[in-house]
Structure formats: C-alpha cells, structure tokens
Amino acid sequence: QHLIFRLLSWLTMAALVPSLLAAAHLFVAASAFNTAPSAKVPTSNRRDALQRVGLGILGGAGILLPQPSPAAAAAADEEEMIDVYFGCGCFWHVQHEFVVAEQRILGRSEDDLTARAGYAGGRAKDDLVCYHNARGVGDYGTLGHAEVVALSIPPSSFPAFAEEYFKLFDDKGDRPDQFGDRGPEYRNLVGLPGGAKGPYGKQLVSASMVQGDKLDFAIGKGDDRDARAVSFVMDTAEFPLHVAERY
C-alpha cells in the first residue's frame, strides 16, 4: 500500500508540472503587460523567472541539480582568462564534452560558453583556414592543421579542464575515433600559453598522471604526424587558433 501511495504521489506531481509551467508563463506575461509602455521587459528577466519556477518544481520533487563550485565561480569573475585548445580526433564530440565541462566546472550559462571548434598546429600562416571543400581553398589539412576545440578559462581551472581532456582517452591512450578518423588532421594536441615550457606545461603533465598517465607528450613543431597515445604540446603564440568556418 505504501508503494502504491508513493506511485500515485509521483503521478500527481507529473500531472501538475505542465500546469505549473503554464501558470509561470501566464505570470511572466502578465508582468510584461503591467509594465509601463515606455519600459522594456528584458528577455532575460522572463527566462530567469521561468528558470526559478522550474528549479522550484524540480527541487520540490527531490531532484538534485548540479551546482557550480563557489570557488570556481569566483575565479571566473576575478581572474584574467587564458586561451587554450585541445585536439583529440574529430572536434564535434570534443566540443560537446568541453561545453558540458564549462557548465559544470565554471557554472557558465549558454550565453557565456566559450568552447569553439577550430583548427591549429600547422606551420602555414594563411589567415583563411576552412574545412575540406571542393575548391580546395584554405583546406586545413593541406595547411598542416588539426581539428581542435578552444576555450577561454580562468588559470586556476586549467587542471580541471586538462583532466577532462585526458578522460577522452581509454586506458591504452586511444581516442574515441582512433581507428576511424586517422591522419594528421585528427592528431592529439594541446595549445597552451608558452607551450610545454610555459606555466601550464607541468600542470598538464600532473593532470595526465591523475587520469592514469595514458599519454606521452612531445613538443609540437607544426605539421606534426598522427601518433597513437601521444599529444603534441603547442605554444598558442606560435600556433594560434583559427576558428572554424567563420568566413
């Protein structure tokens, strides 16, 4: 009987959620209509109100939502950001993982995400860098670049993001698409301010050790090969990011 009662309670809550959300929409809409004609109601206010109602419903149902670390949030507000990039095969799945990491580690909203797909690691200095195309114009592979994902993060959070990178590899150091996407365009690489000898080189190695010491490292010289279980460390000043398909 107790089990049946709990089941009925959950079903009742599920039935009420759509009604509560609809009521929230009506409440926000009414607030907008009650505003003076000369005043403008920001879209973010409506979104925030709906989020508060939604969080209240989920909290009442006993569903725990991930909360950003207060220390990480403070660091994001106070520190000067650094630009880094990570390459591990095809950039689409890597971008997804780092979007999730930005939200979880730094508590960033969708409007504040910085994870961008791009190309880096080639010696060519061409400004026009594109995906493979029929015209062969600015082909990133021909220019020696690899697919990467760039981030702008607080320096104090770099070890956490480096660990997320190493989590992408299995125990043998193989990336998820190791035996699918092959060639220099998919090689493993990490771009850091100052490269391997800069302030983040040792932190990169330490993060690798924490995650099982799966990879070896080599100083990237540009146009590097695709080496299994090896990540090339690039200096972002010498090998900058080219954001994908912005042209």
Side-chain angles (χ1 to χ4, degrees), residues 18-167:
S19 298
L20 290 173
L21 289 176
H25 279 284
L26 290 174
F27 171 77
V28 175
S31 299
F33 281 118
N34 288 334
T35 304
S38 59
K40 182 179 180 181
V41 180
T43 303
S44 59
N45 289 350
R46 296 193 293 270
R47 181 175 64 248
D48 293 343
L50 291 174
Q51 287 177 341
R52 287 194 295 271
V53 173
L55 290 175
I57 293 171
L58 293 175
I63 299 175
L64 298 178
L65 298 176
Q67 298 295 325
S69 163
D77 290 337
E78 298 176 3
E79 295 182 67
E80 183 176 351
M81 301 295 111
I82 59 170
D83 295 323
V84 298
Y85 57 74
F86 298 92
C88 174
C90 177
F91 48 25
W92 296 127
H93 73 92
V94 179
Q95 183 181 31
H96 168 75
E97 297 298 337
F98 280 115
V99 163
V100 173
E102 283 191 87
Q103 293 173 323
R104 176 169 49 81
I105 297 171
L106 300 178
R108 285 178 172 169
S109 67
E110 291 184 0
D111 293 337
D112 296 327
L113 295 173
T114 65
R116 296 289 183 270
Y119 312 108
R123 295 176 187 169
K125 302 302 180 182
D126 302 50
D127 290 330
L128 181 64
V129 182
C130 305
Y131 196 73
H132 306 305
N133 58 87
R135 296 177 60 189
V137 176
D139 186 302
Y140 79 98
T142 302
L143 297 174
H145 296 299
E147 297 186 12
V148 300
V149 172
L151 295 160
S152 183
I153 58 176
S156 62
S157 70
F158 174 73
F161 280 92
E163 286 193 39
E164 293 300 315
Y165 174 66
F166 295 118
K167 289 178 183 178

